[in-house]
Amino acid sequence: MNLQRSIGAALLVCGVVLLVIGVNASHSIADQSTNLFTGHFTNATAWYIVGGIGAAILGFLLLLFGGGRKSI
Protein backbone atom coordinates (compact mmCIF):
# COMPACT_ATOMS: atom_id res chain seq x y z
CA MET A 1 0.00 0.00 0.00
CA ASN A 2 1.48 3.33 -0.99
CA LEU A 3 1.37 6.64 0.84
CA GLN A 4 -1.66 8.07 -0.99
CA ARG A 5 -3.79 5.03 -0.24
CA SER A 6 -2.67 5.05 3.39
CA ILE A 7 -3.69 8.70 3.70
CA GLY A 8 -6.97 7.86 1.98
CA ALA A 9 -7.69 5.09 4.48
CA ALA A 10 -6.89 7.41 7.40
CA LEU A 11 -9.13 10.15 5.97
CA LEU A 12 -11.95 7.68 5.43
CA VAL A 13 -11.76 6.46 9.02
CA CYS A 14 -11.52 10.02 10.40
CA GLY A 15 -14.43 11.11 8.23
CA VAL A 16 -16.65 8.31 9.48
CA VAL A 17 -15.69 9.09 13.09
CA LEU A 18 -16.50 12.80 12.61
CA LEU A 19 -19.81 11.91 10.98
CA VAL A 20 -20.78 9.64 13.87
CA ILE A 21 -19.83 12.34 16.39
CA GLY A 22 -21.91 14.89 14.49
CA VAL A 23 -24.96 12.65 14.28
CA ASN A 24 -24.70 11.80 17.98
CA ALA A 25 -24.35 15.49 18.81
CA SER A 26 -27.45 16.31 16.79
CA HIS A 27 -29.48 14.09 19.13
CA SER A 28 -28.37 15.91 22.28
CA ILE A 29 -30.87 17.91 24.31
CA ALA A 30 -29.04 21.19 23.70
CA ASP A 31 -28.94 20.66 19.95
CA GLN A 32 -32.57 19.56 19.81
CA SER A 33 -33.68 22.70 21.67
CA THR A 34 -31.60 24.89 19.36
CA ASN A 35 -33.14 23.14 16.36
CA LEU A 36 -36.62 23.63 17.84
CA PHE A 37 -36.26 27.40 18.23
CA THR A 38 -34.03 28.29 15.27
CA GLY A 39 -34.67 25.48 12.80
CA HIS A 40 -30.94 24.78 12.52
CA PHE A 41 -28.42 22.66 14.34
CA THR A 42 -25.54 24.32 16.18
CA ASN A 43 -22.48 25.34 14.17
CA ALA A 44 -20.29 22.70 15.78
CA THR A 45 -22.69 19.91 14.88
CA ALA A 46 -23.00 21.13 11.31
CA TRP A 47 -19.22 21.31 10.92
CA TYR A 48 -18.79 17.79 12.30
CA ILE A 49 -21.29 16.42 9.82
CA VAL A 50 -20.03 18.40 6.81
CA GLY A 51 -16.38 17.78 7.67
CA GLY A 52 -17.03 14.09 8.19
CA ILE A 53 -18.76 13.74 4.84
CA GLY A 54 -16.01 15.67 3.07
CA ALA A 55 -13.18 13.72 4.67
CA ALA A 56 -14.91 10.40 4.00
CA ILE A 57 -15.46 11.23 0.33
CA LEU A 58 -11.89 12.44 -0.13
CA GLY A 59 -10.52 9.38 1.65
CA PHE A 60 -12.65 7.05 -0.47
CA LEU A 61 -11.49 8.73 -3.68
CA LEU A 62 -7.86 8.48 -2.61
CA LEU A 63 -8.35 4.80 -1.87
CA LEU A 64 -9.84 4.25 -5.32
CA PHE A 65 -7.57 6.39 -7.48
CA GLY A 66 -4.45 6.95 -5.39
CA GLY A 67 -1.30 5.06 -6.26
CA GLY A 68 -1.67 4.43 -9.93
CA ARG A 69 1.25 3.21 -12.00
CA LYS A 70 3.99 5.67 -12.79
CA SER A 71 5.07 5.89 -16.40
CA ILE A 72 8.75 5.98 -17.16
Side-chain angles (χ1 to χ4, degrees), residues 1 9 22-23 28 31 33 41 44-45 64 66-67:
M1 189 178 252
V23 170
S28 70
D31 218 5
S33 63
F41 291 117
T45 301
L64 283 180

Side-chain angles (χ1 to χ4, degrees), residues 30-70:
D31 218 5
Q32 289 292 324
S33 63
T34 302
N35 190 17
L36 177 69
F37 292 115
T38 64
H40 297 81
F41 291 117
T42 60
N43 286 338
T45 301
W47 279 111
Y48 277 128
I49 293 172
V50 171
I53 291 171
I57 289 173
L58 182 62
F60 183 71
L61 290 175
L62 277 175
L63 274 175
L64 283 180
F65 302 116
R69 290 191 206 187
K70 294 182 182 178

